[in-house]
Amino acid sequence: MKVEDGSTLSRTDCRAKGGAPGFKVAIVGAAGRIGQPLAMLMKMNPLVSVLHLYDVVNAPGVTLTLVTWTPVAVVCGFLGQPQLESALTGIDLVIIPTVVPRKPGMTRDDLFNINAGIAVVNLIGNPVNSTVPIAAEVFKKAGTYDPKRLLGVTMLDVVRANTFVVSTSRTSLCAEVLGLDPREVDVPVIGGHAGVTILPLLSQVKPPCFFTKEETEYLTNRIQNGGTEVVEAKARAGSATLSMAYVAVEFAYACLRGLRGDAGVVECTFVASEVTELPFFVTKVRLGRSGAEEIYQLGPLNEYER
Ligand code: LMR
């Protein structure tokens, strides 16, 4: 075994063990700042039996760091374009994290020219508002487009909204969410994943809770700028990579539960949609065996949200 040949080692490992029953997941861009923590967390996911790690550099090294401990998935590494097809063959779910993070002063749109060239399918890579429609065109050209199966991951906006709502409410009169774990709170966040296109529906928060106009404006602004806050704090050292890895795992878990046939798996995601006049839009979606099986309407909006 050669050290740089971690992919061969792990593929042999895959064949030998066969993998526990479960789904096969591929991460394309597994050696990056989101890819690495994402790979570690996906390896521990009980629904994943085989994990393919693909990247153009360092995939064998990252794979080697994960093959030496047990729970749960068998990990296989794939390096470079010639191994891409093998990395994706027989896979149930492909996760593509962003490749280049933005720097202070950049918008997500500034990543367009950098990441669009390498994005084929993009669940996480920014600008999600553009990379998902581009991926759709690429699939259409290949004759393989299935709008239900192409999902932009925007769950980070929901996670931020749930967190900010709980912490902001500690100083407000909203007793309903006081002391709750953010995971017990649900703020739908619709629209897209950039600036003002990120629209938290605070009027639909569960448990029901009233926010004043000032609180609504503060929270909306904070949620819309959560990513920028991190980019500026990191000062050219990247963006919210660990949070993105976390939501990538949570969203993948929801997709896998849908694929397994679990009932009632509902998440916000950026998907081809007829809910508005826009071809793609973030709304709540029910995930099932064929991907986004039901796209929900926006529900009642208040004047501010409209
Ligand atoms: C985020 O929301 O944190 C990500 O989209 C990364 C970024 O560039 O803001």
Side-chain angles (χ1 to χ4, degrees):
M1 176 193 73
K2 287 183 276 176
V3 173
E4 69 272 19
D5 199 13
S7 55
T8 304
L9 166 77
S10 52
R11 269 208 297 283
T12 307
D13 200 33
C14 275
R15 279 197 296 270
K17 292 185 184 167
F23 291 102
K24 294 185 178 177
V25 174
I27 300 175
V28 176
R33 289 185 196 180
I34 300 172
Q36 292 200 34
L38 172 59
M40 186 176 84
L41 294 167
M42 288 308 291
K43 178 176 166 64
M44 296 190 283
N45 188 311
L47 295 186
V48 181
S49 58
V50 173
L51 183 60
H52 285 189
L53 303 183
Y54 172 86
D55 215 319
V56 290
V57 288
N58 204 20
V62 172
T63 303
L64 269 179
T65 66
L66 293 178
V67 293
T68 44
W69 45 279
T70 312
V72 171
V74 173
V75 183
C76 314
F78 299 84
L79 181 66
Q81 181 71 27
Q83 295 188 2
L84 182 58
E85 193 174 336
S86 312
L88 297 176
T89 302
I91 290 297
D92 297 301
L93 177 69
V94 180
I95 307 173
I96 306 188
T98 190
V99 186
V100 179
R102 62 189 172 120
K103 299 181 177 59
M106 288 172 79
T107 68
R108 289 180 182 84
D109 279 347
D110 291 330
L111 295 179
F112 181 83
N113 290 333
I114 307 171
N115 285 343
I118 43 181
V120 178
V121 181
N122 205 312
L123 293 178
I124 307 166
N126 271 315
V128 167
N129 289 1
S130 303
T131 49
V132 171
I134 288 169
E137 293 307 314
V138 172
F139 275 126
K140 278 181 203 165
K141 210 170 164 191
T144 56
Y145 181 50
D146 180 348
K148 289 183 179 171
R149 290 185 177 266
L150 180 58
L151 310 174
V153 180
T154 61
M155 196 192 243
L156 187 45
D157 301 316
V158 175
V159 167
R160 283 183 178 132
N162 294 345
T163 304
F164 296 154
V165 158
V166 168
S167 49
T168 302
S169 297
R170 288 186 198 290
T171 57
S172 80
L173 296 175
C174 186
E176 289 80 357
V177 295
L178 267 182
L180 287 185
D181 184 306
R183 287 169 294 189
E184 297 171 273
V185 177
D186 180 31
V187 183
V189 184
I190 63 164
H193 180 64
V196 292
T197 70
I198 300 169
L199 180 61
L201 299 183
L202 293 165
S203 65
Q204 294 183 20
V205 63
K206 286 189 189 140
C209 175
F210 174 77
F211 296 101
T212 63
K213 184 170 174 287
E214 289 69 32
E215 286 170 340
T216 301
E217 284 172 2
Y218 167 80
L219 280 169
T220 302
N221 186 48
R222 181 98 203 268
I223 294 160
Q224 289 176 338
N225 290 299
T228 305
E229 221 179 282
V230 178
V231 167
E232 280 166 7
K234 282 191 156 182
R236 306 185 75 82
S239 54
T241 42
L242 295 178
S243 320
M244 289 163 88
Y246 167 73
V247 294
V249 170
E250 289 292 306
F251 191 75
Y253 188 52
C255 290
L256 295 179
R257 282 187 292 131
L259 287 175
R260 185 172 66 175
D262 289 12
V265 183
V266 175
E267 299 293 349
C268 288
T269 184
F270 189 59
V271 66
S273 161
E274 293 178 355
V275 164
T276 69
E277 70 277 13
L278 296 169
F280 292 85
F281 204 78
V282 179
T283 46
K284 282 198 168 184
V285 159
R286 184 174 55 74
L287 298 165
R289 288 193 198 280
S290 56
E293 290 192 340
E294 189 178 358
I295 298 177
Y296 293 105
Q297 296 296 316
L298 306 184
L301 307 182
N302 65 23
E303 199 188 323
Y304 181 80
E305 293 160 351
R306 269 200 301 280

